[in-house]
Amino acid sequence: MHADFEAVIGLEVHVQLLTATKAFCRCSTVYGASPNTNTCPVCLGHPGCLPVLNNNVVEYTLRMGLATNCNIRPVSTFSRKNYFYPDLPKGYQISQYEDPICYDGHVEIEHDGAKKKIGITRIHMEEDAGKSIHDLDIDTLVDLNRSGVPLIEIVSEPDIRTPQEAYKYLAHIRQTVMYLGICDGNMEEGSLRCDANVSVRPKGDNKLYTRTEVKNLNSFRNVEKALEYEIQRQIELTKSGGEVRQITLQWDAGKQQTREMRTKEKAHDYRYFPEPDLVPVNVSEAWIHRVKHELPELPGAKRDRFKNQYGLPEYDAAVLVEEKSLAAYFEECCEFLAEKSKDRFKLVSNWVMTDVMRIMSDKKIEAQETGVQPRLLAELVDLFAADVISSKIAKEIFPDVLKGESPKEIVEKRGLAQVSDTGMIDELVINFLKENQDKVAEYKAGRTNLFGFMVGTVLKATQGKGNPRLVTETLKKHLEQA
Ligand code: ADP
Ligand code: MG
Ligand code: ZN
Protein backbone atom coordinates (compact mmCIF):
# COMPACT_ATOMS: atom_id res chain seq x y z
CA MET A 1 0.00 0.00 0.00
CA HIS A 2 1.06 3.59 -0.58
CA ALA A 3 2.30 5.56 2.39
CA ASP A 4 0.35 8.72 1.50
CA PHE A 5 -3.01 6.98 1.24
CA GLU A 6 -5.25 5.10 3.56
CA ALA A 7 -8.16 2.82 2.79
CA VAL A 8 -11.67 3.19 4.18
CA ILE A 9 -13.66 -0.03 4.32
CA GLY A 10 -17.19 -0.92 5.37
CA LEU A 11 -18.56 -4.45 5.20
CA GLU A 12 -22.07 -5.72 4.62
CA VAL A 13 -22.36 -9.27 5.88
CA HIS A 14 -25.34 -11.47 5.07
CA VAL A 15 -25.93 -14.23 7.57
CA GLN A 16 -28.25 -17.12 6.84
CA LEU A 17 -30.19 -17.91 9.97
CA LEU A 18 -30.42 -21.48 11.25
CA THR A 19 -34.17 -21.47 11.78
CA ALA A 20 -35.87 -24.75 10.92
CA THR A 21 -38.39 -23.04 8.66
CA LYS A 22 -38.34 -20.07 6.30
CA ALA A 23 -38.94 -16.45 7.27
CA PHE A 24 -42.53 -16.08 6.06
CA CYS A 25 -43.82 -19.61 5.43
CA ARG A 26 -43.46 -23.04 6.98
CA CYS A 27 -41.14 -24.55 4.35
CA SER A 28 -37.98 -26.28 5.54
CA THR A 29 -34.66 -24.44 5.26
CA VAL A 30 -32.55 -27.60 5.07
CA TYR A 31 -29.56 -27.25 2.74
CA GLY A 32 -29.04 -29.58 -0.21
CA ALA A 33 -32.60 -30.81 -0.74
CA SER A 34 -33.66 -31.74 -4.25
CA PRO A 35 -34.33 -28.51 -6.22
CA ASN A 36 -37.71 -26.82 -5.72
CA THR A 37 -38.95 -29.35 -3.16
CA ASN A 38 -38.90 -26.99 -0.17
CA THR A 39 -41.38 -24.57 -1.65
CA CYS A 40 -44.98 -23.44 -1.23
CA PRO A 41 -47.21 -20.77 -2.77
CA VAL A 42 -45.82 -18.12 -0.37
CA CYS A 43 -42.11 -18.56 -1.19
CA LEU A 44 -42.93 -19.22 -4.84
CA GLY A 45 -44.53 -15.80 -4.92
CA HIS A 46 -47.98 -16.86 -6.03
CA PRO A 47 -50.36 -13.89 -6.03
CA GLY A 48 -52.73 -13.62 -3.11
CA CYS A 49 -50.57 -15.49 -0.61
CA LEU A 50 -49.85 -13.83 2.69
CA PRO A 51 -46.51 -14.00 4.48
CA VAL A 52 -46.46 -14.64 8.25
CA LEU A 53 -43.30 -13.76 10.14
CA ASN A 54 -41.44 -16.61 11.82
CA ASN A 55 -40.89 -15.55 15.42
CA ASN A 56 -37.49 -17.24 15.60
CA VAL A 57 -36.14 -14.86 12.98
CA VAL A 58 -36.70 -12.00 15.42
CA GLU A 59 -35.37 -14.04 18.33
CA TYR A 60 -32.12 -14.81 16.44
CA THR A 61 -31.71 -11.25 15.21
CA LEU A 62 -32.11 -9.97 18.76
CA ARG A 63 -29.34 -12.31 19.88
CA MET A 64 -26.98 -10.84 17.32
CA GLY A 65 -28.07 -7.28 18.00
CA LEU A 66 -27.49 -7.64 21.72
CA ALA A 67 -24.20 -9.48 21.24
CA THR A 68 -22.97 -6.53 19.14
CA ASN A 69 -24.13 -3.83 21.57
CA CYS A 70 -26.91 -2.55 19.33
CA ASN A 71 -29.97 -0.58 20.30
CA ILE A 72 -33.18 -2.49 19.65
CA ARG A 73 -36.12 -0.76 18.04
CA PRO A 74 -39.36 -1.57 19.90
CA VAL A 75 -41.31 -1.26 16.65
CA SER A 76 -39.82 -1.90 13.23
CA THR A 77 -41.34 -2.60 9.85
CA PHE A 78 -40.70 -4.52 6.66
CA SER A 79 -40.36 -3.00 3.21
CA ARG A 80 -40.38 -4.28 -0.33
CA LYS A 81 -37.14 -3.96 -2.25
CA ASN A 82 -38.15 -4.18 -5.88
CA TYR A 83 -35.97 -5.58 -8.60
CA PHE A 84 -36.30 -8.04 -11.42
CA TYR A 85 -34.34 -11.27 -11.43
CA PRO A 86 -35.32 -14.84 -12.36
CA ASP A 87 -34.56 -16.19 -8.87
CA LEU A 88 -36.85 -13.63 -7.23
CA PRO A 89 -40.36 -14.87 -7.98
CA LYS A 90 -42.30 -12.07 -6.30
CA GLY A 91 -40.34 -9.37 -8.10
CA TYR A 92 -39.38 -7.93 -4.73
CA GLN A 93 -37.48 -8.98 -1.67
CA ILE A 94 -39.01 -8.47 1.76
CA SER A 95 -36.44 -6.54 3.75
CA GLN A 96 -36.19 -3.75 6.27
CA TYR A 97 -35.30 -0.28 5.13
CA GLU A 98 -35.75 2.87 7.18
CA ASP A 99 -36.19 1.33 10.59
CA PRO A 100 -33.99 -1.75 10.99
CA ILE A 101 -34.63 -3.75 14.15
CA CYS A 102 -31.07 -3.22 15.45
CA TYR A 103 -28.90 -0.11 15.09
CA ASP A 104 -25.87 1.76 16.47
CA GLY A 105 -23.84 -1.08 17.88
CA HIS A 106 -20.17 -1.99 17.84
CA VAL A 107 -17.78 -4.88 18.11
CA GLU A 108 -14.22 -4.95 19.30
CA ILE A 109 -11.54 -6.69 17.30
CA GLU A 110 -7.94 -7.29 18.20
CA HIS A 111 -5.33 -6.49 15.63
CA ASP A 112 -1.56 -6.29 16.09
CA GLY A 113 -2.05 -6.58 19.83
CA ALA A 114 -4.32 -3.53 19.99
CA LYS A 115 -8.07 -3.45 20.47
CA LYS A 116 -10.15 -1.61 17.95
CA LYS A 117 -13.84 -0.74 17.86
CA ILE A 118 -15.79 -1.23 14.65
CA GLY A 119 -19.20 0.42 14.59
CA ILE A 120 -22.28 -1.52 13.52
CA THR A 121 -24.60 0.80 11.65
CA ARG A 122 -27.53 -1.56 11.53
CA ILE A 123 -28.70 -5.15 11.49
CA HIS A 124 -31.86 -5.86 9.60
CA MET A 125 -33.96 -8.89 8.73
CA GLU A 126 -34.69 -9.96 5.19
CA GLU A 127 -35.38 -12.99 3.03
CA ASP A 128 -32.99 -14.76 0.69
CA ALA A 129 -33.63 -15.15 -3.04
CA GLY A 130 -33.52 -18.45 -4.91
CA LYS A 131 -30.48 -19.73 -6.77
CA SER A 132 -29.81 -19.58 -10.49
CA ILE A 133 -27.87 -22.53 -11.79
CA HIS A 134 -26.15 -21.83 -15.08
CA ASP A 135 -26.04 -25.16 -16.85
CA LEU A 136 -24.11 -24.99 -20.09
CA ASP A 137 -25.95 -27.90 -21.72
CA ILE A 138 -29.49 -26.97 -20.86
CA ASP A 139 -29.99 -23.34 -19.90
CA THR A 140 -30.23 -21.34 -16.73
CA LEU A 141 -32.19 -23.28 -14.13
CA VAL A 142 -33.75 -21.84 -11.00
CA ASP A 143 -33.91 -23.55 -7.61
CA LEU A 144 -36.28 -21.83 -5.20
CA ASN A 145 -35.48 -23.87 -2.11
CA ARG A 146 -33.51 -20.90 -0.78
CA SER A 147 -36.25 -18.41 -1.62
CA GLY A 148 -37.58 -17.04 1.66
CA VAL A 149 -34.81 -18.40 3.86
CA PRO A 150 -34.19 -15.80 6.61
CA LEU A 151 -31.11 -13.61 6.52
CA ILE A 152 -29.79 -10.84 8.63
CA GLU A 153 -27.67 -8.16 7.06
CA ILE A 154 -25.04 -6.66 9.32
CA VAL A 155 -23.78 -3.32 8.04
CA SER A 156 -20.59 -1.91 9.51
CA GLU A 157 -19.54 1.71 9.75
CA PRO A 158 -16.63 2.60 7.44
CA ASP A 159 -14.28 2.09 10.40
CA ILE A 160 -12.08 -0.59 8.88
CA ARG A 161 -8.71 0.58 7.53
CA THR A 162 -6.88 -2.47 6.16
CA PRO A 163 -7.72 -5.79 4.49
CA GLN A 164 -6.33 -7.54 7.56
CA GLU A 165 -8.71 -5.66 9.82
CA ALA A 166 -11.56 -6.62 7.47
CA TYR A 167 -10.49 -10.24 7.82
CA LYS A 168 -10.45 -9.95 11.62
CA TYR A 169 -13.84 -8.26 11.67
CA LEU A 170 -15.38 -10.93 9.49
CA ALA A 171 -13.83 -13.67 11.60
CA HIS A 172 -15.29 -11.98 14.67
CA ILE A 173 -18.76 -11.85 13.12
CA ARG A 174 -18.56 -15.49 12.06
CA GLN A 175 -17.37 -16.62 15.47
CA THR A 176 -20.13 -14.65 17.17
CA VAL A 177 -22.99 -16.01 15.04
CA MET A 178 -21.69 -19.52 15.60
CA TYR A 179 -21.43 -19.04 19.36
CA LEU A 180 -24.98 -17.69 19.33
CA GLY A 181 -26.13 -20.76 17.41
CA ILE A 182 -27.88 -18.64 14.79
CA CYS A 183 -25.77 -19.60 11.74
CA ASP A 184 -23.53 -22.52 10.81
CA GLY A 185 -20.85 -20.11 9.54
CA ASN A 186 -20.25 -22.10 6.38
CA MET A 187 -18.98 -19.62 3.82
CA GLU A 188 -18.61 -22.15 1.00
CA GLU A 189 -22.27 -23.06 1.23
CA GLY A 190 -23.15 -19.38 1.34
CA SER A 191 -24.34 -19.28 4.94
CA LEU A 192 -22.18 -16.20 5.37
CA ARG A 193 -21.72 -13.78 2.47
CA CYS A 194 -19.81 -10.56 2.40
CA ASP A 195 -19.87 -7.43 0.26
CA ALA A 196 -16.99 -5.03 0.77
CA ASN A 197 -17.22 -1.26 0.24
CA VAL A 198 -13.92 0.47 -0.18
CA SER A 199 -12.50 3.89 -0.94
CA VAL A 200 -9.09 5.48 -0.56
CA ARG A 201 -8.13 8.93 0.65
CA PRO A 202 -5.00 10.93 1.39
CA LYS A 203 -3.78 10.14 4.89
CA GLY A 204 -5.04 12.63 7.43
CA ASP A 205 -8.15 13.50 5.45
CA ASN A 206 -11.41 12.70 7.23
CA LYS A 207 -13.73 13.00 4.28
CA LEU A 208 -15.32 9.95 2.69
CA TYR A 209 -14.34 9.55 -0.94
CA THR A 210 -16.21 7.74 -3.69
CA ARG A 211 -16.34 4.02 -3.00
CA THR A 212 -16.66 0.86 -4.99
CA GLU A 213 -18.43 -2.26 -3.80
CA VAL A 214 -17.02 -5.75 -4.26
CA LYS A 215 -19.83 -8.29 -4.23
CA ASN A 216 -20.19 -11.79 -2.91
CA LEU A 217 -16.86 -12.67 -1.46
CA ASN A 218 -17.17 -16.28 -0.44
CA SER A 219 -14.10 -16.79 1.73
CA PHE A 220 -11.99 -14.87 4.23
CA ARG A 221 -9.02 -15.13 1.94
CA ASN A 222 -10.99 -13.65 -0.95
CA VAL A 223 -12.14 -10.71 1.15
CA GLU A 224 -8.55 -9.91 2.03
CA LYS A 225 -7.24 -10.45 -1.50
CA ALA A 226 -10.02 -8.52 -3.21
CA LEU A 227 -9.55 -5.56 -0.87
CA GLU A 228 -5.78 -5.53 -1.40
CA TYR A 229 -6.28 -5.53 -5.12
CA GLU A 230 -9.02 -2.92 -5.12
CA ILE A 231 -7.15 -0.55 -2.78
CA GLN A 232 -4.08 -0.75 -4.98
CA ARG A 233 -6.17 -0.14 -8.09
CA GLN A 234 -7.84 2.93 -6.60
CA ILE A 235 -4.56 4.39 -5.36
CA GLU A 236 -2.91 3.97 -8.73
CA LEU A 237 -5.93 5.42 -10.49
CA THR A 238 -6.01 8.43 -8.17
CA LYS A 239 -2.28 9.07 -8.42
CA SER A 240 -2.40 9.00 -12.19
CA GLY A 241 -5.03 11.73 -12.11
CA GLY A 242 -8.02 9.47 -12.69
CA GLU A 243 -11.21 9.43 -10.68
CA VAL A 244 -12.77 6.50 -8.84
CA ARG A 245 -16.28 5.83 -10.09
CA GLN A 246 -18.97 4.33 -7.86
CA ILE A 247 -19.24 0.88 -9.40
CA THR A 248 -20.04 -2.64 -8.37
CA LEU A 249 -17.29 -5.18 -8.83
CA GLN A 250 -16.92 -8.89 -8.63
CA TRP A 251 -13.81 -10.68 -7.42
CA ASP A 252 -12.40 -13.12 -9.93
CA ALA A 253 -10.47 -15.56 -7.74
CA GLY A 254 -8.97 -17.27 -10.79
CA LYS A 255 -7.47 -14.10 -12.26
CA GLN A 256 -6.99 -12.52 -8.82
CA GLN A 257 -8.56 -9.27 -9.90
CA THR A 258 -11.81 -7.34 -9.57
CA ARG A 259 -14.09 -6.96 -12.53
CA GLU A 260 -16.88 -4.47 -13.07
CA MET A 261 -20.41 -5.85 -12.77
CA ARG A 262 -22.89 -3.07 -13.32
CA THR A 263 -23.30 0.57 -12.41
CA LYS A 264 -24.33 0.78 -8.81
CA GLU A 265 -28.05 1.04 -8.45
CA LYS A 266 -29.14 4.12 -6.58
CA ALA A 267 -31.25 3.28 -3.57
CA HIS A 268 -34.38 4.77 -5.11
CA ASP A 269 -34.07 2.40 -8.05
CA TYR A 270 -35.30 -0.33 -5.73
CA ARG A 271 -38.47 1.71 -5.20
CA TYR A 272 -38.61 0.66 -1.56
CA PHE A 273 -42.05 0.93 -0.03
CA PRO A 274 -43.66 -0.46 3.14
CA GLU A 275 -44.70 -4.12 2.94
CA PRO A 276 -48.49 -3.97 3.28
CA ASP A 277 -48.90 -7.70 4.01
CA LEU A 278 -46.95 -7.72 7.26
CA VAL A 279 -47.73 -6.07 10.56
CA PRO A 280 -44.97 -4.14 12.34
CA VAL A 281 -42.57 -6.16 14.49
CA ASN A 282 -43.04 -5.40 18.17
CA VAL A 283 -40.26 -6.21 20.58
CA SER A 284 -41.11 -5.80 24.25
CA GLU A 285 -38.66 -4.85 27.00
CA ALA A 286 -39.30 -8.27 28.52
CA TRP A 287 -38.30 -10.02 25.31
CA ILE A 288 -35.05 -8.06 25.06
CA HIS A 289 -34.39 -8.71 28.72
CA ARG A 290 -34.85 -12.46 28.35
CA VAL A 291 -32.65 -12.74 25.24
CA LYS A 292 -29.93 -10.69 26.91
CA HIS A 293 -30.13 -12.91 29.95
CA GLU A 294 -29.86 -16.07 27.86
CA LEU A 295 -26.88 -14.95 25.75
CA PRO A 296 -24.03 -17.44 26.03
CA GLU A 297 -20.59 -16.38 27.17
CA LEU A 298 -19.08 -14.79 24.05
CA PRO A 299 -15.60 -15.53 22.68
CA GLY A 300 -13.91 -12.40 24.04
CA ALA A 301 -15.22 -12.92 27.55
CA LYS A 302 -14.37 -16.61 27.41
CA ARG A 303 -10.83 -15.85 26.29
CA ASP A 304 -10.32 -13.48 29.20
CA ARG A 305 -11.72 -16.03 31.61
CA PHE A 306 -9.45 -18.76 30.24
CA LYS A 307 -6.46 -16.51 30.87
CA ASN A 308 -7.53 -15.73 34.42
CA GLN A 309 -9.04 -18.99 35.58
CA TYR A 310 -6.58 -21.39 33.96
CA GLY A 311 -3.57 -19.09 33.75
CA LEU A 312 -3.26 -19.75 30.02
CA PRO A 313 -1.18 -17.56 27.72
CA GLU A 314 -3.09 -15.28 25.34
CA TYR A 315 -2.29 -17.51 22.39
CA ASP A 316 -3.64 -20.70 23.99
CA ALA A 317 -6.78 -18.93 25.18
CA ALA A 318 -7.46 -17.53 21.71
CA VAL A 319 -7.00 -20.91 20.02
CA LEU A 320 -9.15 -22.77 22.53
CA VAL A 321 -12.11 -20.38 22.35
CA GLU A 322 -12.05 -20.32 18.54
CA GLU A 323 -14.92 -22.79 18.61
CA LYS A 324 -17.39 -23.11 21.43
CA SER A 325 -17.23 -26.90 21.39
CA LEU A 326 -13.42 -26.92 21.63
CA ALA A 327 -13.54 -24.57 24.60
CA ALA A 328 -16.09 -26.84 26.28
CA TYR A 329 -13.89 -29.86 25.60
CA PHE A 330 -10.87 -28.19 27.17
CA GLU A 331 -12.87 -27.30 30.26
CA GLU A 332 -14.22 -30.82 30.57
CA CYS A 333 -10.69 -32.25 30.50
CA CYS A 334 -9.64 -29.83 33.24
CA GLU A 335 -12.63 -30.91 35.33
CA PHE A 336 -11.25 -34.45 35.40
CA LEU A 337 -7.75 -33.51 36.56
CA ALA A 338 -6.85 -35.06 39.92
CA GLU A 339 -5.03 -31.89 40.84
CA LYS A 340 -6.27 -28.54 39.55
CA SER A 341 -3.19 -26.44 38.99
CA LYS A 342 -2.09 -23.96 36.34
CA ASP A 343 0.75 -26.27 35.31
CA ARG A 344 -1.69 -29.05 34.60
CA PHE A 345 -4.16 -26.76 32.82
CA LYS A 346 -1.34 -25.70 30.55
CA LEU A 347 -0.44 -29.34 29.90
CA VAL A 348 -4.06 -30.07 28.95
CA SER A 349 -3.96 -27.06 26.64
CA ASN A 350 -0.78 -28.37 24.99
CA TRP A 351 -2.34 -31.76 24.34
CA VAL A 352 -5.53 -30.26 23.00
CA MET A 353 -3.72 -27.80 20.73
CA THR A 354 -1.41 -30.43 19.26
CA ASP A 355 -2.61 -34.03 19.24
CA VAL A 356 -6.35 -33.48 19.63
CA MET A 357 -6.52 -30.62 17.14
CA ARG A 358 -4.43 -32.59 14.66
CA ILE A 359 -7.07 -35.32 14.64
CA MET A 360 -9.79 -32.69 14.40
CA SER A 361 -8.29 -31.10 11.30
CA ASP A 362 -7.32 -34.41 9.67
CA LYS A 363 -10.83 -35.78 9.99
CA LYS A 364 -12.69 -32.45 9.98
CA ILE A 365 -14.49 -33.31 13.19
CA GLU A 366 -15.10 -31.71 16.57
CA ALA A 367 -12.99 -32.37 19.65
CA GLN A 368 -15.73 -34.47 21.21
CA GLU A 369 -15.66 -36.82 18.20
CA THR A 370 -11.92 -37.49 18.19
CA GLY A 371 -12.18 -40.44 20.57
CA VAL A 372 -9.88 -38.77 23.10
CA GLN A 373 -12.05 -38.97 26.19
CA PRO A 374 -11.61 -35.97 28.50
CA ARG A 375 -11.35 -38.27 31.52
CA LEU A 376 -8.47 -40.20 29.90
CA LEU A 377 -6.62 -37.14 28.66
CA ALA A 378 -6.78 -35.74 32.19
CA GLU A 379 -5.44 -39.05 33.50
CA LEU A 380 -2.55 -38.89 31.06
CA VAL A 381 -1.69 -35.37 32.12
CA ASP A 382 -1.92 -36.34 35.78
CA LEU A 383 0.49 -39.25 35.28
CA PHE A 384 2.99 -37.03 33.53
CA ALA A 385 2.65 -34.14 35.95
CA ALA A 386 3.16 -36.48 38.89
CA ASP A 387 6.38 -37.77 37.27
CA VAL A 388 4.94 -41.26 36.90
CA ILE A 389 5.67 -41.25 33.17
CA SER A 390 7.98 -39.26 30.94
CA SER A 391 6.68 -37.14 28.10
CA LYS A 392 8.15 -39.69 25.72
CA ILE A 393 6.07 -42.49 27.21
CA ALA A 394 3.03 -40.22 27.29
CA LYS A 395 3.35 -39.68 23.53
CA GLU A 396 3.93 -43.40 22.99
CA ILE A 397 0.78 -44.54 24.73
CA PHE A 398 -1.41 -41.77 23.28
CA PRO A 399 -2.61 -43.94 20.34
CA ASP A 400 -3.97 -46.46 22.84
CA VAL A 401 -5.60 -43.73 24.89
CA LEU A 402 -7.24 -42.70 21.66
CA LYS A 403 -8.71 -46.19 21.44
CA GLY A 404 -10.27 -45.71 24.85
CA GLU A 405 -7.70 -47.41 27.05
CA SER A 406 -6.93 -45.95 30.45
CA PRO A 407 -3.37 -44.56 30.61
CA LYS A 408 -3.09 -45.74 34.22
CA GLU A 409 -3.87 -49.30 33.20
CA ILE A 410 -1.56 -49.20 30.19
CA VAL A 411 1.30 -48.01 32.38
CA GLU A 412 0.66 -50.68 34.98
CA LYS A 413 0.16 -53.49 32.49
CA ARG A 414 3.27 -52.72 30.52
CA GLY A 415 5.45 -51.58 33.38
CA LEU A 416 6.04 -48.17 31.85
CA ALA A 417 6.23 -46.23 35.06
CA GLN A 418 9.17 -43.91 35.15
CA VAL A 419 12.24 -45.02 37.06
CA SER A 420 12.71 -42.56 39.85
CA ASP A 421 14.81 -44.99 41.81
CA THR A 422 17.80 -42.83 42.79
CA GLY A 423 20.01 -45.82 43.50
CA MET A 424 19.53 -47.29 40.08
CA ILE A 425 20.01 -44.02 38.26
CA ASP A 426 23.09 -43.27 40.31
CA GLU A 427 24.52 -46.58 39.26
CA LEU A 428 23.75 -46.04 35.58
CA VAL A 429 25.34 -42.59 35.65
CA ILE A 430 28.46 -43.79 37.41
CA ASN A 431 28.83 -46.62 34.90
CA PHE A 432 28.31 -44.29 31.98
CA LEU A 433 30.94 -41.84 33.20
CA LYS A 434 33.40 -44.63 33.83
CA GLU A 435 32.97 -45.98 30.31
CA ASN A 436 33.13 -42.56 28.67
CA GLN A 437 36.03 -40.86 30.34
CA ASP A 438 37.12 -39.30 27.05
CA LYS A 439 33.75 -37.53 26.81
CA VAL A 440 34.02 -36.40 30.40
CA ALA A 441 37.43 -34.92 29.67
CA GLU A 442 36.11 -33.11 26.60
CA TYR A 443 33.16 -31.82 28.60
CA LYS A 444 35.46 -30.51 31.29
CA ALA A 445 37.56 -28.88 28.59
CA GLY A 446 34.60 -26.80 27.59
CA ARG A 447 32.48 -28.86 25.19
CA THR A 448 29.44 -28.37 27.38
CA ASN A 449 27.06 -29.27 24.61
CA LEU A 450 28.02 -32.90 25.26
CA PHE A 451 25.69 -32.75 28.24
CA GLY A 452 22.61 -33.37 26.13
CA PHE A 453 24.25 -36.43 24.62
CA MET A 454 25.06 -37.74 28.08
CA VAL A 455 21.50 -37.32 29.34
CA GLY A 456 20.21 -39.00 26.22
CA THR A 457 22.52 -41.98 26.54
CA VAL A 458 21.68 -42.58 30.18
CA LEU A 459 17.97 -42.24 29.41
CA LYS A 460 18.33 -44.78 26.64
CA ALA A 461 19.85 -47.19 29.13
CA THR A 462 16.62 -46.89 31.14
CA GLN A 463 14.58 -47.74 28.03
CA GLY A 464 13.04 -44.29 28.11
CA LYS A 465 11.60 -44.83 31.55
CA GLY A 466 14.15 -42.86 33.50
CA ASN A 467 12.96 -39.64 35.02
CA PRO A 468 14.76 -37.05 32.84
CA ARG A 469 14.93 -34.52 35.65
CA LEU A 470 16.51 -37.03 37.99
CA VAL A 471 18.97 -38.16 35.32
CA THR A 472 19.95 -34.57 34.63
CA GLU A 473 20.49 -33.78 38.30
CA THR A 474 22.46 -36.95 38.96
CA LEU A 475 24.70 -36.41 35.96
CA LYS A 476 25.40 -32.83 37.00
CA LYS A 477 26.28 -33.92 40.48
CA HIS A 478 28.70 -36.62 39.36
CA LEU A 479 30.31 -34.47 36.69
CA GLU A 480 31.08 -31.83 39.26
CA GLN A 481 32.79 -34.43 41.37
CA ALA A 482 34.55 -36.10 38.48
P1 ADP B 1 -25.86 1.12 0.31
O1 ADP B 1 -27.21 1.38 0.86
O2 ADP B 1 -25.66 1.59 -1.06
O3 ADP B 1 -25.43 -0.29 0.47
P2 ADP B 1 -24.69 2.32 2.65
O4 ADP B 1 -24.60 3.79 2.86
O5 ADP B 1 -25.69 1.57 3.43
O6 ADP B 1 -24.85 2.05 1.11
O7 ADP B 1 -23.27 1.74 2.95
C1 ADP B 1 -22.98 0.43 2.75
C2 ADP B 1 -21.60 0.14 3.31
O8 ADP B 1 -20.61 0.98 2.69
C3 ADP B 1 -21.46 0.38 4.80
O9 ADP B 1 -20.79 -0.72 5.36
C4 ADP B 1 -20.62 1.64 4.89
O10 ADP B 1 -19.81 1.62 6.03
C5 ADP B 1 -19.79 1.57 3.65
N1 ADP B 1 -19.36 2.87 3.13
C6 ADP B 1 -20.13 3.96 2.94
N2 ADP B 1 -19.41 4.96 2.40
C7 ADP B 1 -18.15 4.49 2.21
C8 ADP B 1 -16.93 5.04 1.68
N3 ADP B 1 -16.87 6.27 1.19
N4 ADP B 1 -15.84 4.25 1.64
C9 ADP B 1 -15.90 2.99 2.11
N5 ADP B 1 -17.00 2.43 2.62
C10 ADP B 1 -18.11 3.16 2.67
MG1 MG C 1 -25.35 -2.27 -0.06
ZN1 ZN D 1 -42.65 -21.75 1.39
Side-chain angles (χ1 to χ4, degrees), residues 146 208 213 241:
R146 209 179 61 181
L208 286 176
E213 182 172 5

Coordinates of all heavy atoms in Angstrom, one line a residue, residues 146 208 213 241:
R146 N -34.1 -21.9 -1.6 CA -33.5 -20.9 -0.8 C -34.4 -19.7 -0.7 O -34.2 -18.8 0.2 CB -32.1 -20.5 -1.3 CG -31.2 -20.0 -0.2 CD -29.8 -19.7 -0.8 NE -29.9 -18.6 -1.8 CZ -28.8 -18.2 -2.4 NH1 -27.6 -18.7 -2.2 NH2 -29.0 -17.2 -3.3
L208 N -15.1 11.2 3.3 CA -15.3 9.9 2.7 C -15.3 10.2 1.2 O -16.0 11.0 0.7 CB -16.7 9.3 3.1 CG -16.8 8.8 4.5 CD1 -18.2 8.3 4.8 CD2 -15.8 7.6 4.7
E213 N -17.9 -1.2 -4.6 CA -18.4 -2.3 -3.8 C -18.1 -3.6 -4.5 O -18.3 -3.8 -5.6 CB -20.0 -2.1 -3.7 CG -20.6 -3.2 -2.8 CD -22.1 -3.0 -2.6 OE1 -22.6 -2.0 -3.1 OE2 -22.6 -3.8 -1.8
G241 N -4.1 10.7 -11.7 CA -5.0 11.7 -12.1 C -6.4 11.3 -12.5 O -7.3 12.1 -12.8

